[in-house]
Amino acid sequence: MDWKVALGGWVVGLLIGLTGMGGGSVMTPMMIFLFHMHPALAVGTDLVYSCITKLAGTIQHVRQKTVDFRILGWMSLGSIPGALMGSLVVRYLEHQVAIDAADRVIGQMLGGMYILIVLAMAWRWWRKRRGTAPIAPGRVPRVALSVLGLAAGFLVGLTSVGSGALFVSVLAMISSLSASRLVGTDIAAGVLVTGVAGLAHLAFGNVDLRMVVSLLVGSVPGILMGSRLIVRVPEPVVRVGLMTLLSWSSYNLLK
């Protein structure tokens, strides 16, 4: 048991409890910059960790009937093969390109993803302030759901980032789901895509299972604490902090 890793897991869990986001967005750069893991190993470890943490939430949301299975099904038609494709690209880079070059390419992809997520968070914040009405759930085109799922799944399998931020952003853009059903559908979609991609990375040897255990030891109490603090800490403070951290991580990965 590595207590430094567990402490890092607690910090990430606290962010997830406060914002519903921050898992892959913070976990992967933490493993790269603080624990000096290779990007490919950090990606695989984060995917397995994310799948386990989201599974309990999915079970609870299914019991509460806050999962839209129609949207989940059509998105999963794209996101599951997309996650496999992204994982295979990582595998290809590891074996067909020099290790240092592969780490650099994956790091640059991560940096690009962080920029996209910061922009998506800012866009959602702006739309929320304007009160723009999205498309009603029943009118969302099925093909659009699958195509968006394919793109999001590919990026998650490639970088481990975005199973929360990407799916929430996509669903917020194209549907008018209630907050509870938006979160529930997002978490269920995240379990599927991180589970598939995580198994692929595990088969490729890109998962540190001991680190997964240490992260879970810290993140579970962190999530519980964050969930209680959410009513006391202003959401804009947490969002700005998360966006600042992502911007800093992006700068360090792309420079």
Side-chain angles (χ1 to χ4, degrees), residues 26-104:
V26 177
M27 185 66 75
T28 304
M30 181 185 73
M31 288 190 285
I32 293 173
F33 294 120
L34 293 184
F35 305 130
H36 309 292
M37 293 180 70
H38 291 293
L41 184 60
V43 167
T45 301
D46 179 44
L47 284 167
V48 172
Y49 159 83
S50 296
C51 179
I52 295 172
T53 55
K54 289 176 183 292
L55 182 59
T58 298
I59 293 172
Q60 181 61 33
H61 278 284
V62 170
R63 289 177 177 174
Q64 295 173 175
K65 298 182 179 180
T66 49
V67 176
D68 189 312
F69 286 99
R70 174 189 172 277
I71 288 180
L72 174 64
W74 285 107
M75 286 191 69
S76 298
L77 282 178
S79 65
I80 291 175
L84 286 174
M85 290 167 57
S87 303
L88 289 172
V89 169
V90 174
R91 175 71 168 179
Y92 171 81
L93 290 173
E94 285 187 303
H95 288 78
Q96 301 298 324
V97 183
I99 293 177
D100 290 342
D103 284 345
R104 185 168 60 254

Side-chain angles (χ1 to χ4, degrees), residues 114 117-119 121-123 125 238-248:
Y114 298 149
I117 290 174
V118 168
L119 292 175
M121 291 174 68
W123 183 85
W125 199 350
V238 180
R239 296 286 180 179
V240 169
L242 187 54
M243 291 168 70
T244 301
L245 177 60
L246 288 173
S247 299
W248 175 84

Side-chain angles (χ1 to χ4, degrees), residues 215-240:
L215 289 170
L216 289 171
V217 167
S219 66
V220 172
I223 291 172
L224 294 175
M225 184 176 295
S227 300
R228 295 191 175 206
L229 288 175
I230 194 170
V231 297
R232 300 182 182 180
V233 180
E235 182 180 350
V237 173
V238 180
R239 296 286 180 179
V240 169

